[in-house]
Amino acid sequence: MSTPPRHEPEAPRDLVGIGIGPFNLSLAALAHPLAELDAVFYDQHPAFHWHPGLLIEGTTLQVPFLADLVTLADPTSPWSFPNYLRTRDRLFPFYFAERFHIRRAEYDAYCRWVSENLPGLRFGHRVDAVRWNPERDLFEVDFTRLHDGADEPPGRTYTKNVVLGIGTAPHVP
């Protein structure tokens, strides 16, 4: 896996993603091979968890496994669900089982695998503010790194583009 370029604090990033759910995780995975793209993604949670509490035993995704984070856009990506299966020595058993709608718990495990191995993701970072800076013609993104209940001093990065991937608030009718 390639290492992202070292970022200088005052240099503007090309992209800052706020929230690391499947949408921004997919964007980060697709951006990963683009060495010239300086991107970072922030999420206040300490790690990736997709729909915690809703991974009911035996439930499956509504779409086939090829609708993973990357495959339909980049079938050669190392972040594909088939590659996840290969790293777990489960590609052939999965294929021969002929069940192409994967379990929700396995999708969560796949996304966690990507999030634990993909550079450029900053879990435990709360975005506090996003402002347009007209003098620099850039966005300012202020964040706080959360550390076991104690916050570190605020940080700031500059970016040309901001992508919000914060999802929706859970609601039980």
Side-chain angles (χ1 to χ4, degrees), residues 41-166:
F41 296 81
Y42 297 109
D43 196 293
Q44 68 183 355
H45 295 97
F48 184 93
H49 291 287
W50 181 67
H51 292 175
L54 296 176
L55 301 178
I56 301 164
E57 183 66 33
T59 57
T60 60
L61 289 182
Q62 296 173 322
V63 296
F65 72 95
L66 288 178
D68 64 10
L69 298 172
V70 295
T71 299
L72 293 176
D74 181 5
T76 64
S77 172
W79 308 111
S80 70
F81 183 73
N83 192 46
Y84 162 77
L85 292 172
R86 185 190 60 77
T87 65
R88 304 260 180 300
D89 292 326
R90 293 191 40 244
L91 184 58
F92 287 107
F94 175 82
Y95 177 76
F96 288 115
E98 296 183 8
R99 282 180 278 128
F100 297 123
H101 286 80
I102 61 176
R103 297 191 188 281
R104 292 171 58 85
E106 182 152 50
Y107 181 74
D108 176 60
Y110 156 64
C111 288
R112 280 187 284 117
W113 171 76
V114 173
S115 72
E116 291 164 0
N117 292 286
L118 187 64
L121 305 181
R122 304 290 183 269
F123 287 97
H125 285 70
R126 180 186 64 228
V127 172
D128 301 311
V130 177
R131 286 180 300 283
W132 179 250
N133 181 323
E135 289 88 38
R136 294 191 68 176
D137 203 25
L138 297 167
F139 291 99
E140 295 175 350
V141 179
D142 293 344
F143 59 88
T144 303
R145 184 170 181 219
L146 310 173
H147 231 292
D148 294 326
D151 298 349
E152 290 189 0
R156 174 175 289 162
T157 191
Y158 298 93
T159 184
K160 300 171 189 171
N161 301 284
V162 175
V163 177
L164 296 177
I166 56 173

Side-chain angles (χ1 to χ4, degrees), residues 25-48:
L25 188 58
S26 173
L27 181 58
L30 290 168
H32 177 248
L34 307 174
E36 68 280 2
L37 184 68
D38 182 6
V40 68
F41 296 81
Y42 297 109
D43 196 293
Q44 68 183 355
H45 295 97
F48 184 93

